[in-house]
Amino acid sequence: MTVLDVRDLEVHYGHRRQRRRALAGASLSIDAGEIVGLIGETGSGKSTFARAALGLVRPSAGRIVIDGEDVTGHRERQWRAVRRRGVVQYVFQDPLRSLDPDLTIGDSLMEPLLLKGVPRREAVDRARAYLGRVRLDDELLTRLPEQLSGGQRQRVAVARALITEPRLIILDEPVSALDAATRVQVLEILKDLRTAGIALLFISHDLGSVAGIADRVAVLYRGEVVEVGTAREVVTKPSHPYTRLLIGSAPTLRTAAAGRAERAALRELLHSGKGTPR
Ligand SMILES: Nc1ncnc2c1ncn2[C@@H]1O[C@H](COP(=O)(O)OP(=O)(O)O)[C@@H](O)[C@H]1O
Ligand SMILES: [Mg+2]
């Protein structure tokens, strides 16, 4: 079952002489329960892809189907309905952008449930349960985002994305702003989602961050998906010249300065059967 199907997607920014093409016919599909890494250099169009799939920018061409619903031409009101149903959720790089700074953690977690019409009492229970799932203590429920560490905030953002039991979560550089130890914790939590059957689109500029967790990796280059394969295939047998360049220059893959967790993830990837198609 395909949860996200994006075909020949084009997105432009600006008008007239300022008009620039950020996506130039990108295609990618994600199955239920699958974790797909989308990698590419800064400016390649990764965030634009995420925004288009969340209804935050309008495509100028192509097609986006989410969980069987063609959302390509959706207007704001229709997108609001899609979001209210909680089919697709998101986590951004900066958790302060995914969380309302004026809401307590508890209220932030309950908000998407209350929008969906879940009774308040049940929403409170679910908020506690999901905080536990991202390994955070109940006592954080009454705090504001600014009273949490960056890693705690990002785990709350993940809990908030999970709480509506969406079909798809789009994570745009979810660990890029975190220190190495916290990054490992958040990656562990995301790995667990595989068993929960939720599809993940995990966006990163860094192949090392996604290699250990993604079933498939897609490479975005100048607004086009130029390569898709299992993480293992992409690392060991890149077919596009840009992918070869990306792998050759990926600091976390090649240098001795690479973080231990990332090196371990890569070793696991290269020397195990992981990454075989499902
Ligand atoms: N709001 C915007 N207005 C105009 N141009 C934008 C906007 N957002 C992104 N761009 C441009 O679109 C291209 C792709 O950007 P983006 O999707 O943010 O790439 P990435 O996330 O891979 O770094 C870049 O050239 C960027 O400058
Ligand atoms: Mg980006």
Side-chain angles (χ1 to χ4, degrees), residues 13-14 22 40-49 51:
Y13 289 112
E41 64 194 350
T42 301
S44 56
K46 303 181 299 295
S47 294
T48 302
F49 190 96
R51 277 182 224 129

Side-chain angles (χ1 to χ4, degrees), residues 11-14 18 20-23 39-51 57 172-173 203-205 220 223:
V11 173
H12 290 81
Y13 289 112
Q18 257 80 53
R20 295 277 178 281
R21 192 166 68 165
L23 286 180
I39 58 169
E41 64 194 350
T42 301
S44 56
K46 303 181 299 295
S47 294
T48 302
F49 190 96
R51 277 182 224 129
V57 293
D172 191 357
E173 309 266 9
I203 296 173
S204 177
H205 63 279
L220 194 64

Side-chain angles (χ1 to χ4, degrees), residues 55-224:
L56 304 176
V57 293
R58 289 200 105 205
S60 29
R63 207 168 99 103
I64 306 173
V65 178
I66 297 175
D67 203 26
E69 178 174 350
D70 190 335
V71 297
T72 318
H74 271 17
R75 306 198 165 273
E76 190 43 43
R77 189 172 46 84
Q78 295 164 296
W79 266 111
R80 273 204 299 275
V82 172
R83 292 193 204 109
R84 225 179 359 250
R85 288 204 310 279
V87 178
V88 47
Q89 296 289 1
Y90 57 86
V91 176
F92 294 128
Q93 172 170 350
D94 176 1
L96 291 178
R97 276 192 57 213
S98 320
L99 299 174
D100 185 332
D102 299 324
L103 291 186
T104 64
I105 300 308
D107 284 337
S108 249
L109 289 172
M110 291 195 298
E111 188 183 47
L113 294 174
L114 299 175
L115 270 175
K116 247 184 113 173
V118 173
R120 192 165 185 93
R121 177 153 298 169
E122 193 187 324
V124 173
D125 290 345
R126 294 251 293 264
R128 282 178 197 283
Y130 276 84
L131 210 54
R133 272 192 68 181
V134 296
R135 302 170 206 169
L136 290 175
D137 202 278
D138 275 7
E139 69 177 27
L140 299 189
L141 283 169
T142 53
R143 294 215 206 149
L144 289 169
E146 65 182 19
Q147 298 168 317
L148 269 57
S149 73
Q152 287 175 325
R153 280 200 288 261
Q154 198 59 313
R155 282 191 267 169
V156 171
V158 170
R160 186 178 193 275
L162 283 172
I163 206 162
T164 59
E165 295 169 357
R167 307 275 296 148
L168 170 69
I169 303 180
I170 297 176
L171 305 106
D172 191 357
E173 309 266 9
V175 299
S176 301
L178 305 178
D179 61 75
T182 314
R183 186 179 302 170
V184 172
Q185 289 175 353
V186 173
L187 287 174
E188 286 300 321
I189 289 164
L190 295 178
K191 263 190 197 171
D192 284 349
L193 297 186
R194 187 192 314 276
T195 47
I198 298 168
L200 293 194
L201 178 63
F202 187 145
I203 296 173
S204 177
H205 63 279
D206 171 36
L207 177 57
S209 294
V210 307
I213 148 168
D215 300 305
R216 286 188 303 141
V217 172
V219 178
L220 194 64
Y221 178 60
R222 296 189 174 179
E224 267 184 90

